[in-house]
Amino acid sequence: MPTYKLTYFPVKALAEPIRFVLSYMGQEFEDYRFEREQWPSIKPSMPFGKVPVLEIDGVKLHQSTALTRYLGKKAGLGGKNDWEDLQIDIAVETLHDFRAAVGNYFYDADETSKEKKKEPLMSETVPYYLKKFDELVKENGGYLANGALSWGDLYFVAVSDYLSGMLEFDICEKYSNLKALKDKVLEIPKIKEWIKKRPETAF
Amino acid sequence: MPTYKLTYFPVKALAEPIRFVLSYMGQEFEDYRFEREQWPSIKPSMPFGKVPVLEIDGVKLHQSTALTRYLGKKAGLGGKNDWEDLQIDIAVETLHDFRAAVGNYFYDADETSKEKKKEPLMSETVPYYLKKFDELVKENGGYLANGALSWGDLYFVAVSDYLSGMLEFDICEKYSNLKALKDKVLEIPKIKEWIKKRPETAF
């Protein structure tokens, strides 16, 4: 059995999809969370200086989406064929576009520029994406793609707290299909077990 | 035979990887390029309001990476197994991190904030990524992953002009392994043929 060690800041954010999939698989893993002040000493040993990093049998692998896709396929959460994989990939990449738009506001170090971005983000971009995602889930029988649970759904639900945290409101609350998807994923026994035992963090 | 229609601005940028892979496959496609002033009338008919969009037999599909991966697999440019696919995905996702960092500067509408980003981008971020990518290609026998040509290499070479355009210098020039990879991809007969016939554009 391979060993898994996940290294990240003490938050959910981009590591949580990997934690969700490993938990879904029933796979034990070391959930190493370092403090912010440790980051400068850890950063140089990480490929391309970023985390999350998952070590599989000591091999350091980075990139949250690539890892969730890889593990998701092992967990039986991939598409049934290349076309279905494409639909999952499209949904997740679009989620990243949305996250990038939110992050572009949230992480703006310049207060004036940040303030300027807030109104169009909140009144246009955010409702646009959430409505479209809600429709997508409705069209796909309650999932992001192919009418079936995939690693894309786990990705979405796992990062939804991060998105809600940056936006300061629950992104699923007003969108019944997104809300139902989130509830459904959180009710999966292995995910439920993970949620119960994971450390409490804001994001 | 399915029909392919690609819709994008009259530039290379994020559509070029799709054009590269379709050309590599020897696949005919309609390369529809609209003018900037047409965009407001086209945008509402695009899934999630973005391009490039590839229509396969009339089905509108978006997301450049998802599409390049899908077509790349059909073209025999995927990994030999899930592990190899993971390595390609990691490289391409990291390329997007790099592109996001460059775009965060280039597309900043606030001149003061943009100017502030320039120095750290040019003196730290850009050389950091380019050196790492150059090492990655060296370690992988002249390719981004697995010691073999993949859709990831086509993606990289296809967007390199876009990155160079935003940065106002040739990103491969000082990095011998990246330069060699670029030259090698551009020498593939079907790619060479595409380059020869494609419209001249700055990005």
Side-chain angles (χ1 to χ4, degrees):
Chain A
M1 281 293 283
T3 60
Y4 293 86
K5 178 186 175 180
L6 184 66
T7 298
Y8 200 50
F9 293 96
V11 289
K12 300 193 238 347
L14 296 182
E16 202 61 16
I18 302 169
R19 297 186 188 116
F20 264 44
V21 179
L22 287 169
S23 300
Y24 181 90
M25 295 163 80
Q27 176 61 57
E28 295 277 320
F29 63 101
E30 184 186 346
D31 187 28
Y32 178 61
R33 295 164 185 243
F34 57 83
E35 296 304 320
R36 301 243 156 225
E37 54 270 27
Q38 291 172 268
W39 177 230
S41 69
I42 290 171
K43 189 177 168 70
S45 66
M46 292 296 145
F48 282 85
K50 291 204 170 183
V51 282
V53 159
L54 182 67
E55 284 172 61
I56 305 184
D57 286 337
V59 179
K60 281 179 186 158
L61 299 153
H62 64 131
Q63 292 301 356
S64 157
T65 307
L67 286 163
T68 309
R69 180 185 295 111
Y70 171 74
L71 296 169
K73 286 188 173 181
K74 292 209 174 302
L77 292 173
K80 283 198 295 284
N81 49 46
D82 287 344
W83 180 262
E84 287 199 1
D85 280 337
L86 171 62
Q87 308 309 319
I88 300 167
D89 288 350
I90 288 172
V92 174
E93 235 182 284
T94 306
L95 184 63
H96 286 307
D97 282 351
F98 178 48
R99 182 176 63 81
V102 176
N104 182 267
Y105 150 78
F106 184 77
Y107 292 109
D108 194 331
D110 182 309
E111 276 306 316
T112 321
S113 151
K114 184 174 179 173
E115 199 48 43
K116 232 188 280 180
K117 288 173 185 170
K118 192 170 183 174
E119 203 279 321
L121 178 75
M122 294 301 189
S123 72
E124 289 165 40
T125 313
V126 171
Y128 178 84
Y129 272 100
L130 292 178
K131 189 168 169 279
K132 286 265 185 192
F133 276 122
D134 197 61
E135 286 165 7
L136 189 67
V137 170
K138 192 176 178 185
E139 284 160 18
N140 282 283
Y143 300 96
L144 280 170
N146 312 316
L149 183 75
S150 76
W151 64 269
D153 299 305
L154 265 63
Y155 202 102
F156 170 74
V157 176
V159 297
S160 65
D161 286 342
Y162 176 37
L163 289 163
S164 295
M166 289 194 281
L167 291 165
E168 298 182 60
F169 70 89
D170 179 350
I171 59 164
C172 296
E173 205 181 1
K174 285 194 208 158
Y175 298 89
S176 60
N177 297 287
L178 295 180
K179 174 101 178 60
L181 171 59
K182 188 175 174 181
D183 290 346
K184 197 158 44 191
V185 169
L186 296 180
E187 277 304 315
I188 297 169
K190 293 278 188 197
I191 300 289
K192 207 170 171 173
E193 218 173 279
W194 164 248
I195 304 279
K196 214 172 146 180
K197 77 176 182 197
R198 75 181 175 187
E200 284 260 6
T201 59
F203 275 24
Chain B
M1 281 293 281
T3 60
Y4 294 85
K5 179 186 176 180
L6 185 65
T7 298
Y8 200 49
F9 294 95
V11 290
K12 300 193 236 349
L14 295 182
E16 201 62 15
I18 302 169
R19 298 186 187 117
F20 265 43
V21 179
L22 287 170
S23 300
Y24 180 89
M25 294 163 81
Q27 176 61 57
E28 295 276 321
F29 64 100
E30 184 186 345
D31 188 28
Y32 178 62
R33 294 165 185 242
F34 57 83
E35 297 303 321
R36 302 241 156 226
E37 54 270 26
Q38 291 173 266
W39 179 228
S41 69
I42 291 171
K43 189 176 168 71
S45 66
M46 293 296 145
F48 283 84
K50 291 204 172 183
V51 282
V53 160
L54 182 68
E55 284 171 63
I56 305 184
D57 287 336
V59 179
K60 283 178 184 158
L61 300 153
H62 64 131
Q63 291 300 357
S64 157
T65 307
L67 286 162
T68 309
R69 180 186 296 111
Y70 172 75
L71 296 168
K73 286 188 174 180
K74 292 209 175 300
L77 292 174
K80 284 198 293 287
N81 49 46
D82 287 344
W83 181 262
E84 286 199 1
D85 279 337
L86 171 63
Q87 308 310 318
I88 301 167
D89 287 349
I90 287 171
V92 175
E93 236 183 283
T94 306
L95 184 62
H96 286 307
D97 282 352
F98 178 48
R99 181 176 63 81
V102 175
N104 182 267
Y105 150 78
F106 184 77
Y107 292 109
D108 194 331
D110 182 311
E111 276 306 316
T112 320
S113 151
K114 184 173 179 172
E115 198 49 43
K116 233 189 278 179
K117 287 174 184 169
K118 191 170 184 174
E119 203 278 322
L121 179 75
M122 294 301 190
S123 71
E124 290 166 39
T125 313
V126 171
Y128 178 84
Y129 272 100
L130 292 177
K131 187 167 171 281
K132 286 265 185 190
F133 276 123
D134 197 61
E135 286 166 6
L136 189 68
V137 170
K138 192 176 179 186
E139 284 160 17
N140 282 284
Y143 300 96
L144 279 171
N146 312 317
L149 183 74
S150 76
W151 65 269
D153 299 305
L154 265 61
Y155 203 102
F156 171 74
V157 175
V159 297
S160 66
D161 287 340
Y162 176 38
L163 289 162
S164 295
M166 288 194 280
L167 291 166
E168 297 182 60
F169 71 88
D170 178 352
I171 58 163
C172 295
E173 203 181 2
K174 285 194 206 160
Y175 298 89
S176 60
N177 297 288
L178 295 181
K179 173 101 178 62
L181 172 59
K182 188 176 174 180
D183 290 346
K184 195 158 46 190
V185 169
L186 296 180
E187 277 305 314
I188 297 169
K190 294 277 187 199
I191 299 289
K192 207 171 172 173
E193 218 173 279
W194 164 248
I195 303 280
K196 214 172 146 180
K197 76 176 183 199
R198 74 180 175 189
E200 284 260 4
T201 58
F203 274 25

Short mmCIF file of all heavy atoms in Angstrom, two decimals, chain B residues 13 36 99 102-110 114 117 162 166 203:
data_model
loop_
_atom_site.label_atom_id
_atom_site.label_comp_id
_atom_site.label_asym_id
_atom_site.label_seq_id
_atom_site.Cartn_x
_atom_site.Cartn_y
_atom_site.Cartn_z
N ALA B 13 -3.18 33.21 -28.32
CA ALA B 13 -3.54 33.07 -26.89
C ALA B 13 -4.08 31.67 -26.53
O ALA B 13 -3.42 30.68 -26.83
CB ALA B 13 -4.50 34.18 -26.48
N ARG B 36 -13.04 42.32 -32.05
CA ARG B 36 -13.36 42.75 -30.67
C ARG B 36 -14.76 43.36 -30.56
O ARG B 36 -15.48 43.10 -29.60
CB ARG B 36 -12.35 43.77 -30.14
CG ARG B 36 -10.93 43.25 -30.14
CD ARG B 36 -10.29 43.19 -28.75
NE ARG B 36 -9.24 42.19 -28.80
CZ ARG B 36 -9.03 41.24 -27.89
NH1 ARG B 36 -9.79 41.17 -26.82
NH2 ARG B 36 -8.08 40.35 -28.03
N ARG B 99 0.99 31.67 -16.09
CA ARG B 99 0.19 32.56 -16.94
C ARG B 99 -0.68 33.49 -16.08
O ARG B 99 -0.84 34.68 -16.40
CB ARG B 99 -0.69 31.72 -17.87
CG ARG B 99 -1.55 32.53 -18.82
CD ARG B 99 -2.33 31.64 -19.77
NE ARG B 99 -3.28 30.77 -19.13
CZ ARG B 99 -4.50 31.13 -18.72
NH1 ARG B 99 -4.92 32.38 -18.89
NH2 ARG B 99 -5.31 30.26 -18.15
N VAL B 102 1.45 36.30 -14.74
CA VAL B 102 1.76 37.27 -15.80
C VAL B 102 0.50 38.08 -16.13
O VAL B 102 0.54 39.31 -16.25
CB VAL B 102 2.31 36.57 -17.06
CG1 VAL B 102 2.52 37.56 -18.20
CG2 VAL B 102 3.62 35.83 -16.74
N GLY B 103 -0.62 37.40 -16.24
CA GLY B 103 -1.89 38.06 -16.57
C GLY B 103 -2.35 39.02 -15.48
O GLY B 103 -2.93 40.07 -15.77
N ASN B 104 -2.07 38.67 -14.24
CA ASN B 104 -2.43 39.52 -13.10
C ASN B 104 -1.75 40.89 -13.22
O ASN B 104 -2.32 41.91 -12.84
CB ASN B 104 -2.00 38.82 -11.81
CG ASN B 104 -2.37 39.62 -10.57
OD1 ASN B 104 -1.58 40.40 -10.06
ND2 ASN B 104 -3.60 39.47 -10.12
N TYR B 105 -0.56 40.89 -13.78
CA TYR B 105 0.13 42.14 -14.08
C TYR B 105 -0.40 42.76 -15.37
O TYR B 105 -0.89 43.88 -15.39
CB TYR B 105 1.65 41.89 -14.19
CG TYR B 105 2.38 42.82 -15.12
CD1 TYR B 105 2.68 44.13 -14.72
CD2 TYR B 105 2.75 42.41 -16.40
CE1 TYR B 105 3.33 45.00 -15.60
CE2 TYR B 105 3.40 43.27 -17.27
CZ TYR B 105 3.70 44.56 -16.86
OH TYR B 105 4.32 45.42 -17.73
N PHE B 106 -0.37 41.99 -16.43
CA PHE B 106 -0.67 42.52 -17.77
C PHE B 106 -2.08 43.11 -17.88
O PHE B 106 -2.28 44.14 -18.52
CB PHE B 106 -0.48 41.42 -18.81
CG PHE B 106 -0.67 41.88 -20.22
CD1 PHE B 106 0.32 42.62 -20.86
CD2 PHE B 106 -1.84 41.59 -20.92
CE1 PHE B 106 0.15 43.06 -22.17
CE2 PHE B 106 -2.02 42.02 -22.22
CZ PHE B 106 -1.03 42.76 -22.85
N TYR B 107 -3.05 42.45 -17.26
CA TYR B 107 -4.44 42.89 -17.40
C TYR B 107 -4.90 43.83 -16.29
O TYR B 107 -6.08 44.14 -16.19
CB TYR B 107 -5.39 41.68 -17.48
CG TYR B 107 -5.22 40.88 -18.75
CD1 TYR B 107 -4.63 39.62 -18.75
CD2 TYR B 107 -5.63 41.41 -19.98
CE1 TYR B 107 -4.46 38.89 -19.93
CE2 TYR B 107 -5.47 40.69 -21.16
CZ TYR B 107 -4.88 39.44 -21.12
OH TYR B 107 -4.73 38.73 -22.29
N ASP B 108 -3.98 44.25 -15.43
CA ASP B 108 -4.36 45.18 -14.36
C ASP B 108 -4.75 46.53 -14.97
O ASP B 108 -3.94 47.18 -15.63
CB ASP B 108 -3.18 45.34 -13.39
CG ASP B 108 -3.62 46.00 -12.08
OD1 ASP B 108 -4.59 46.79 -12.11
OD2 ASP B 108 -3.01 45.71 -11.05
N ALA B 109 -6.00 46.90 -14.75
CA ALA B 109 -6.52 48.13 -15.36
C ALA B 109 -6.04 49.39 -14.63
O ALA B 109 -6.12 50.50 -15.17
CB ALA B 109 -8.05 48.08 -15.37
N ASP B 110 -5.54 49.20 -13.42
CA ASP B 110 -5.08 50.34 -12.62
C ASP B 110 -3.57 50.52 -12.86
O ASP B 110 -2.76 49.67 -12.47
CB ASP B 110 -5.38 50.04 -11.14
CG ASP B 110 -4.97 51.17 -10.21
OD1 ASP B 110 -3.83 51.66 -10.31
OD2 ASP B 110 -5.80 51.56 -9.38
N LYS B 114 -0.50 48.29 -11.49
CA LYS B 114 0.20 47.52 -12.52
C LYS B 114 1.71 47.77 -12.45
O LYS B 114 2.51 46.83 -12.47
CB LYS B 114 -0.34 47.90 -13.90
CG LYS B 114 0.27 47.09 -15.05
CD LYS B 114 -0.41 47.39 -16.37
CE LYS B 114 0.23 46.58 -17.48
NZ LYS B 114 -0.50 46.69 -18.75
N LYS B 117 3.47 46.02 -9.68
CA LYS B 117 3.63 44.56 -9.86
C LYS B 117 4.80 44.21 -10.78
O LYS B 117 5.29 43.08 -10.75
CB LYS B 117 2.35 43.98 -10.46
CG LYS B 117 1.18 43.92 -9.52
CD LYS B 117 -0.09 43.48 -10.24
CE LYS B 117 -1.31 43.50 -9.32
NZ LYS B 117 -2.56 43.34 -10.07
N TYR B 162 1.96 34.00 -26.57
CA TYR B 162 1.05 34.82 -25.77
C TYR B 162 1.79 35.33 -24.51
O TYR B 162 1.77 36.53 -24.19
CB TYR B 162 -0.15 33.96 -25.39
CG TYR B 162 -1.19 34.56 -24.48
CD1 TYR B 162 -1.57 35.90 -24.57
CD2 TYR B 162 -1.85 33.75 -23.55
CE1 TYR B 162 -2.56 36.41 -23.73
CE2 TYR B 162 -2.83 34.26 -22.72
CZ TYR B 162 -3.19 35.59 -22.81
OH TYR B 162 -4.16 36.08 -21.99
N MET B 166 2.88 39.22 -23.64
CA MET B 166 2.53 39.97 -22.43
C MET B 166 3.77 40.49 -21.73
O MET B 166 3.78 41.57 -21.16
CB MET B 166 1.71 39.09 -21.47
CG MET B 166 0.29 38.81 -21.94
SD MET B 166 -0.79 38.11 -20.63
CE MET B 166 -0.29 36.39 -20.62
N PHE B 203 -0.14 38.31 -30.68
CA PHE B 203 -0.19 37.39 -29.52
C PHE B 203 -0.49 35.97 -29.95
O PHE B 203 -1.54 35.66 -30.43
CB PHE B 203 -1.27 37.86 -28.55
CG PHE B 203 -0.77 38.89 -27.58
CD1 PHE B 203 0.30 39.70 -27.88
CD2 PHE B 203 -1.41 39.06 -26.36
CE1 PHE B 203 0.73 40.67 -26.99
CE2 PHE B 203 -0.99 40.02 -25.46
CZ PHE B 203 0.07 40.83 -25.78
#
